[in-house]
Amino acid sequence: VLNGVNLPILENLSKKYNKSKAQVLLNWLISKNQIVVIPKAVNPSHQREIAESADWSMSKLDHDLLDNLAHSEVAEGREL
């Protein structure tokens, strides 16, 4: 998933919500009830970042933007 960290939509959402791009992606994945997200971090600051990924929510429109982006990336044979 972190292959998509340089996508402009992630940069925009990161700024909009004042969260890291990783937090935006984790929040989006966590919101999907059918996906189990198991992030890994040894660094304490990364552990905090992961813990803070679920304590906020994005708008439905922003979720839809990421959903559409994921579908288009997969359809073109690229990983998000």
Side-chain angles (χ1 to χ4, degrees):
V1 169
L2 293 179
N3 291 339
V5 170
N6 292 323
L7 294 171
I9 186 68
L10 289 177
E11 187 70 36
N12 294 338
L13 292 175
S14 174
K15 289 178 184 175
K16 177 178 179 178
Y17 292 104
N18 196 32
K19 300 290 182 182
S20 72
K21 292 177 272 189
Q23 285 176 309
V24 170
L25 285 173
L26 279 172
N27 183 279
W28 171 64
L29 289 171
I30 290 168
S31 73
K32 308 288 178 203
N33 291 328
Q34 67 270 33
I35 297 175
V36 176
V37 180
I38 306 172
K40 176 188 170 194
V42 177
N43 181 311
S45 67
H46 291 165
Q47 292 171 346
R48 261 190 312 282
E49 187 176 27
I50 290 168
E52 294 170 356
S53 295
D55 65 352
W56 59 283
S57 59
M58 284 188 279
S59 71
K60 169 124 174 58
L61 176 63
D62 292 337
H63 275 276
D64 290 346
L65 286 171
L66 289 174
D67 287 341
N68 292 334
L69 176 65
H71 292 296
S72 67
E73 290 290 306
V74 169
E76 294 178 16
R78 294 189 302 255
E79 290 184 24
L80 178 63

